[in-house]
Structure formats: C-alpha cells, structure tokens
Amino acid sequence: MNHETILLYHNTFERERMLSRLASYPQLRLQVYHLGAVPAGNESRNYICYCSDLPSAVQMKRRLSSQNLLIFCPKPMKMMCSLLEDQSTIVLSLTCSEPLLEMMLGRFLSGPHPNDGVNEHPVVLTKRENQVLTLMVSGQDTRQIASVLGIKMS
C-alpha cells in the first residue's frame, strides 16, 4: 500500500539526505516541498522533516499539530527531541539503524490520525521559555544562560 507523505526540507543538503535515507521504502509516495512552499489546501496526513535543533522541532510540531509527523534530527539531539513524541509524532536520528527505521516507518504509516483518538494539546512555550530552551540546546550552562537573560544566580 502506498502512503502519500510530504517531505519538508530547509535546504538541498537536507532534502538529499532524507531522500537517500528513505529511498529503499517504496511504500512511501513522497511529495517533496521546500518548507516555505507547501501548497495550501494539501490534505496529506503524513509529514516527514529534518530539524537540526529542539526549537525548530517544537515549531514544526506546532505547525503540523493535526498531522502525523516524523522528525529526523541529529544523533546528539535525539534524546532532547524525543520529548516531543506522542501518538502522532515520532523522532528518529537520521543515522538510526535500518531495522529501527523500518519499524518506526511502519508505526508512522499505520498509526492513527491525530484527530482520530486522544485529543492532546500542542506544545506551547512562552517567548521566555523559548529563549531558555534555545540557550539550553545550544550547550550553555546555567551561569551563561542567567547572564544572557539578565538573571542573578542565587
């Protein structure tokens, strides 16, 4: 069975890496779009994208909150980004093993549509929470974050 899936990318390098990784899965009928060029009114239920950091993954999850979403991320970001996983979102390292990718693609393609079951609330962060999260993900320690945000350490 073919599953219409939209692959979103930021740049050519990302697009080619994801296409190369997914080439051996003919059940995916991929439509490839630059992130800013997805046609309006598209009714695909499955989206695949690459997010290089947690804030961009949160933004993508928010943007596609009513869709099935598979997020590829760099291996060092897998643990942090996996916090976004739920019934409609799967996070994988782009370099994960073939058996894991095959298993998770099966789950992704056969999973329920997000609006078919549990009604979960999208992740909503305040501007300040987003700033803190961005600084944490960039690898800064608590003192550096406090300094950037103008907060005194106690």
Side-chain angles (χ1 to χ4, degrees), residues 12-68:
T12 305
F13 181 68
E14 280 182 12
R15 180 190 68 206
E16 294 306 313
R17 285 188 71 197
M18 287 190 291
L19 286 173
S20 171
R21 191 69 166 101
L22 298 169
S24 60
Y25 298 94
Q27 69 269 36
L28 288 174
R29 197 173 70 216
L30 293 173
Q31 294 181 27
V32 182
Y33 295 103
H34 185 272
L35 199 54
V38 179
N42 193 310
E43 297 190 17
S44 178
R45 293 167 33 146
N46 300 317
Y47 287 80
I48 298 175
C49 66
Y50 178 84
C51 295
S52 59
D53 55 33
L54 185 58
S56 64
V58 169
Q59 183 180 20
M60 189 61 65
K61 182 173 173 70
R62 215 181 277 157
R63 178 178 176 180
L64 299 170
S65 63
S66 62
Q67 310 301 328
N68 289 329

Side-chain angles (χ1 to χ4, degrees), residues 46-95:
N46 300 317
Y47 287 80
I48 298 175
C49 66
Y50 178 84
C51 295
S52 59
D53 55 33
L54 185 58
S56 64
V58 169
Q59 183 180 20
M60 189 61 65
K61 182 173 173 70
R62 215 181 277 157
R63 178 178 176 180
L64 299 170
S65 63
S66 62
Q67 310 301 328
N68 289 329
L69 177 61
L70 171 59
I71 298 174
F72 283 117
C73 66
K75 191 173 185 174
M77 294 305 305
K78 169 61 172 101
M79 288 288 280
M80 187 74 77
C81 289
S82 67
L83 296 171
L84 300 175
E85 289 187 329
D86 58 22
Q87 95 177 43
S88 63
T89 305
I90 296 173
V91 177
L92 288 174
S93 164
L94 196 55
T95 59

